Amino acid sequence: MKKSTLVRKFNKQASMYERNSRQRTLGEWRSRLLQDLDGKVLEVAVGAGANFPYYNRETVDLTAVDFSPEMLKSAQRMAADLDLKVSFQQHDIETLQLPERSFDCVVSTLSLCGYDDPLQVVNKLNRWCKPGGRIYLLEHGISHIKLLGITQHLLNPAARRISGCHFNRDILGIVQSSDIEIIKTERYYGGMVHLIWARAT
């Protein structure tokens, strides 16, 4: 799928993402994942800013990146409502260039489903994070339950066409193949949702 087409799809979904940012279960997972975040933080594919309520504005210096201008507008509204200071950048994560080893923490939530090369993106997160720095991922992918997995494979072409999202990626396999060091993982919703705490190498 052309990147311009993908951007248009996410632009159209911005208002929905903004509404969904208040979804309770996702909020509980975000809170659990991000509870000890501090320092210079990079959030990639920030979307509508759904993670912003879980950042401590006293201890976090946040840079947020997304390729969708409409998503960034929603995220800017969220930041203003929370009085959270954020440096925003509009850019495609797969071509984004940032100084290496410059962030204490890197955050990605529900974004690995959309990239052409998610493994390359995870390795970029590793390079942008300081050695030993923390990387936090909340992602969805293929279930370890056979019937659910088969259903995800069947739905994937339609999901990709409609939302720009892959339903059937092996998220844990991708992260395990990357340069980052996994500290802890948790799976929910029949193994389709992953919380991953990791360390940059």
Side-chain angles (χ1 to χ4, degrees):
M1 183 180 294
K2 290 182 179 179
K3 197 55 62 90
S4 58
T5 302
L6 199 57
V7 171
R8 287 196 297 273
K9 287 182 182 295
F10 279 89
N11 279 340
K12 290 178 181 179
Q13 297 175 77
S15 60
M16 180 188 71
Y17 272 65
E18 193 167 358
R19 292 192 300 273
N20 288 347
S21 67
R22 296 168 177 82
Q23 206 273 340
R24 181 177 176 182
T25 302
L26 276 173
E28 291 173 355
W29 290 332
R30 294 178 198 276
S31 177
R32 178 166 175 73
L33 182 71
L34 304 173
Q35 58 186 320
D36 60 347
L37 208 65
D38 60 12
K40 192 173 180 183
V41 177
L42 170 67
E43 182 173 349
V44 300
V46 67
N51 291 322
F52 289 176
Y54 310 103
Y55 290 134
N56 185 335
R57 65 172 180 256
E58 305 298 327
T59 62
V60 166
D61 176 12
L62 181 60
T63 297
V65 185
D66 203 286
F67 67 1
S68 163
E70 295 303 317
M71 287 289 190
L72 285 176
K73 288 177 184 177
S74 295
Q76 288 165 347
R77 286 193 292 270
M78 177 72 80
D81 289 346
L82 296 169
D83 194 27
L84 180 67
K85 292 182 180 178
V86 185
S87 174
F88 289 99
Q89 293 187 34
Q90 182 185 333
H91 210 292
D92 175 14
I93 303 304
E94 293 187 277
T95 59
L96 177 66
Q97 300 295 321
L98 290 172
E100 295 190 4
R101 309 307 186 187
S102 56
F103 293 93
D104 299 299
C105 304
V106 179
V107 175
S108 167
T109 59
L110 306 178
S111 73
L112 293 182
C113 60
Y115 302 122
D116 291 331
D117 188 347
L119 177 58
Q120 179 227 11
V121 170
V122 177
N123 286 334
K124 291 181 80 167
L125 306 187
N126 183 68
R127 293 197 301 272
W128 292 331
C129 195
K130 295 176 182 178
R134 291 162 289 162
I135 298 173
Y136 302 85
L137 307 173
L138 190 168
E139 303 292 344
H140 71 86
I142 192 74
S143 172
H144 61 276
I145 298 172
K146 187 174 181 179
L147 183 58
L148 276 177
I150 291 171
T151 303
Q152 288 175 277
H153 282 304
L154 292 173
L155 291 174
N156 192 65
R160 182 64 173 163
R161 186 174 62 254
I162 294 167
S163 68
C165 172
H166 290 276
F167 270 16
N168 61 347
R169 284 192 163 160
D170 178 8
I171 296 299
L172 196 55
I174 291 167
V175 176
Q176 287 172 333
S177 298
S178 75
D179 295 332
I180 69 176
E181 176 188 350
I182 295 175
I183 299 170
K184 181 175 73 170
T185 67
E186 296 177 1
R187 297 182 78 166
Y188 298 95
Y189 272 17
M192 292 186 291
V193 174
H194 298 260
L195 274 65
I196 301 174
W197 293 259
R199 183 183 293 117
T201 59

